[in-house]
Amino acid sequence: MSTKIPSSDSHLARRLGLFDATMIVMGGIIGAGIFTNPYVVAQQVHTPLLILGAWAVGGLIALAGAFIYAELSSQSHESGGQYIYLRDALHPLVAFGYGWSLLFVIQTGGMAAVALIFANHVFELAGRQVTDFRAALLASIALALLTIINCIGVRAGSVTQNIFMILKLVAIAALVGFGLTVAGPAKSEAITTATSSSTLLHSLIAFGAALIPAQFAYGGWQTACFVAGEVREPRRNLPRGLLFGVMGVIVVYLSVNYVCVHALGAQGLAQTKTPASAVMRLALGERGGRFLSAGIAISTIGFLSQSMLTAPRVYFAMAEDGLFFQRLAWLNRARVPAFAIALQGGLAIVIALIASRFEQILNYVVSVDVVFFALTAVCVFVFRRRQRARGGTDFFRIPGHPFTTVFFIAACCVITFSVIYKEPRNSAISFGIMLAGLPAYFVWAWLRKRRALSGERAGQ
């Protein structure tokens, strides 16, 4: 017998204070991307200043986005988060496009990318040579196993997730502490890759491309809206938790990148797919590199397992609106959305095998993700206009609005333009999948109308 997914976030047994909210924000952001993405950023911009600048700007974008979602979540506690905002402020078609893209691009692509990070560090730990095919194969096996485990109801408890979070923080502290003891490359390595002939436009495009992996690593602040209803005094604690959490992550990320640039140099960083392990190897030898690889691999699996269960709430909201497969809104006997998890896992495996390269999947995911981030930010203007018409003011307000909101939207536009310019093929694939949701929406809308008419006739 099956049961529907509960629409309330009742899995949190206690009310959350400021410290809890801050930890949730930091835990939702810090995954495995920070241990890998520094080399992807360094491939786009070739000086230490620009590398650190990309991570600083990425942090400011995340901070602006966190404030936007804090305001939106303070006005709606309905399950579905971003899908609900887009549906109520813009149009159900836009919301459906987000949910469709989440399933076929954003969530599954993100899972594939994280699984590839896991695979690269496992090979690093084993001392084996990493190839794109080997990494994709191991990533697919990990995704398949985690999908099966989650479908049969074996879920990591809060204690286990806390252990994974502690492992990440220990690994980061060790990386920063020991990395500062490394002498680093000769200063003559300097800025050999920089070219005086680069135009301002090309430099801006390169910087925008560097924001893609940074934005991916900062991703997760938007999940705070799922726990807004569980935060004690949300209009006070949630904004502060978002502020302290994102600021804390900015400090952590800048520290890690400073150490990577310090130890490897800008050029060396761009050539190292596992920069964090490489830094630890320089500091402590092979044992240091393997220690960090083990910590990253373990924490990545925990992060990946936990992330598998978040998106089904969006599919549930779509199915409840009659705009998606009804089976996605049901739980199995183990009380997990097995069909939705299995569908996600299967699509993630396909992406990992087809794309196989971490950088390629980054472009595939972020190009569509930032479009819906920008559209969600537009919802703020719509909801504020409605609030003024009703005379309502009882909600959290974004500091510096409209400038903060416009900055976030503009940043999303820059990232979108950069990824389209740098990776037109990957962008075309992801946007093509997103646009394929248009006819799908009208099919489901027609079926919903047909079911409604049948229900009316049956009731007469």
Side-chain angles (χ1 to χ4, degrees):
M1 183 176 178
S2 300
T3 54
K4 292 190 76 172
I5 295 176
S7 59
S8 63
D9 293 325
S10 57
H11 60 283
L12 293 175
R14 61 191 177 89
R15 303 296 287 177
L16 303 171
L18 176 59
F19 177 78
D20 302 299
T22 303
M23 288 297 100
I24 287 174
V25 172
M26 293 189 71
I29 296 174
I30 299 176
I34 184 56
F35 299 108
T36 300
N37 286 8
Y39 97 90
V40 188
V41 173
Q43 287 180 335
Q44 303 297 332
V45 289
H46 311 296
T47 68
L49 182 61
L50 288 177
I51 292 171
L52 295 176
W55 286 96
V57 172
L60 292 177
I61 295 171
L63 188 60
F67 280 132
I68 289 169
Y69 279 69
E71 175 166 327
L72 293 172
S73 65
S74 71
Q75 300 178 64
S76 173
H77 302 304
E78 189 176 348
S79 179
Q82 197 167 342
Y83 170 83
I84 301 299
Y85 310 149
L86 293 168
R87 183 196 67 187
D88 294 347
L90 301 181
H91 193 277
L93 174 59
V94 180
F96 179 88
Y98 166 70
W100 176 273
S101 300
L102 190 72
L103 177 60
F104 290 99
V105 180
I106 300 169
Q107 181 77 1
T108 49
M111 288 166 57
V114 172
L116 285 175
I117 294 175
F118 163 77
N120 283 324
H121 283 91
V122 167
F123 280 112
E124 185 83 13
L125 180 62
R128 300 290 298 275
Q129 182 180 1
V130 183
T131 65
D132 290 340
F133 175 74
R134 286 181 177 180
L137 186 60
L138 182 57
S140 299
I141 293 172
L143 286 167
L145 290 175
L146 286 171
T147 298
I148 294 170
I149 290 172
N150 279 280
C151 283
I152 63 177
V154 180
R155 297 180 58 183
S158 60
V159 174
T160 305
Q161 294 302 329
N162 287 338
I163 291 173
F164 284 135
M165 184 62 190
I166 291 171
L167 283 173
K168 282 183 280 189
L169 293 176
V170 168
I172 289 172
L175 172 62
V176 174
F178 289 110
L180 290 173
T181 66
V182 177
K187 299 300 180 183
S188 58
E189 184 232 22
I191 314 173
T192 56
T193 54
T195 57
S196 57
S197 60
S198 295
T199 64
L200 178 61
L201 177 61
H202 288 165
S203 298
L204 289 175
I205 292 173
F207 192 79
L211 291 176
I212 296 168
Q215 189 68 30
F216 184 87
Y218 276 111
W221 43 264
Q222 68 271 22
T223 60
C225 63
F226 290 108
V227 299
E230 303 296 330
V231 176
R232 185 170 59 250
E233 299 181 51
R235 288 175 180 81
R236 175 178 178 271
N237 287 331
L238 183 58
R240 291 185 178 185
L242 285 163
L243 175 62
F244 297 151
V246 174
M247 288 296 292
V249 172
I250 292 173
V251 172
V252 168
Y253 281 12
L254 287 177
S255 299
V256 170
N257 278 275
Y258 175 81
V259 165
C260 288
V261 172
H262 166 77
L264 302 174
Q267 185 174 350
L269 178 57
Q271 297 171 351
T272 308
K273 287 191 174 184
T274 53
S277 298
V279 171
M280 286 294 284
R281 192 177 298 108
L282 288 174
L284 300 177
E286 285 299 323
R287 288 186 179 180
R290 291 185 178 184
F291 162 78
L292 195 66
S293 292
I296 296 170
I298 293 171
S299 63
T300 301
I301 285 295
F303 183 85
L304 185 60
S305 179
Q306 187 183 47
S307 69
M308 282 187 171
L309 296 174
T310 57
R313 288 197 175 276
V314 175
Y315 313 143
F316 162 75
M318 295 170 68
E320 196 173 51
D321 287 343
L323 294 174
F324 220 28
F325 298 109
Q326 290 297 310
R327 189 175 294 271
L328 295 177
W330 293 81
L331 303 174
N332 63 9
R333 291 182 178 180
R335 299 194 59 79
V336 294
F339 186 82
I341 294 171
L343 182 60
Q344 275 189 161
L347 290 171
I349 290 171
V350 170
I351 294 171
L353 290 173
I354 292 177
S356 74
R357 287 193 308 112
F358 176 73
E359 308 94 303
Q360 184 178 357
I361 296 177
L362 275 184
N363 296 320
Y364 172 79
V365 172
V366 175
S367 58
V368 170
D369 202 14
V370 293
V371 170
F372 286 104
F373 278 153
L375 290 172
T376 305
V378 173
C379 296
V380 172
F381 295 96
V382 178
F383 284 135
R384 284 210 176 192
R385 186 177 70 248
R386 294 177 184 174
Q387 289 286 354
R388 283 196 298 270
R390 292 195 298 261
T393 59
D394 189 23
F395 60 92
F396 169 75
R397 291 178 174 273
I398 302 167
H401 178 83
F403 303 105
T404 311
T405 311
V406 171
F407 163 73
F408 180 77
I409 295 173
C412 290
C413 292
V414 169
I415 295 173
T416 302
F417 173 78
S418 297
V419 71
I420 292 174
Y421 183 86
K422 299 285 285 189
E423 296 287 343
R425 182 174 176 273
N426 291 333
S427 300
I429 293 172
S430 55
F431 280 112
I433 294 173
M434 179 184 72
L435 293 175
L438 293 176
Y441 167 80
F442 289 109
V443 169
W444 262 296
W446 176 77
L447 290 173
R448 180 179 63 177
K449 185 177 180 181
R450 186 177 178 182
R451 285 194 298 269
L453 290 174
S454 299
E456 289 177 5
R457 293 193 189 102
Q460 291 175 354

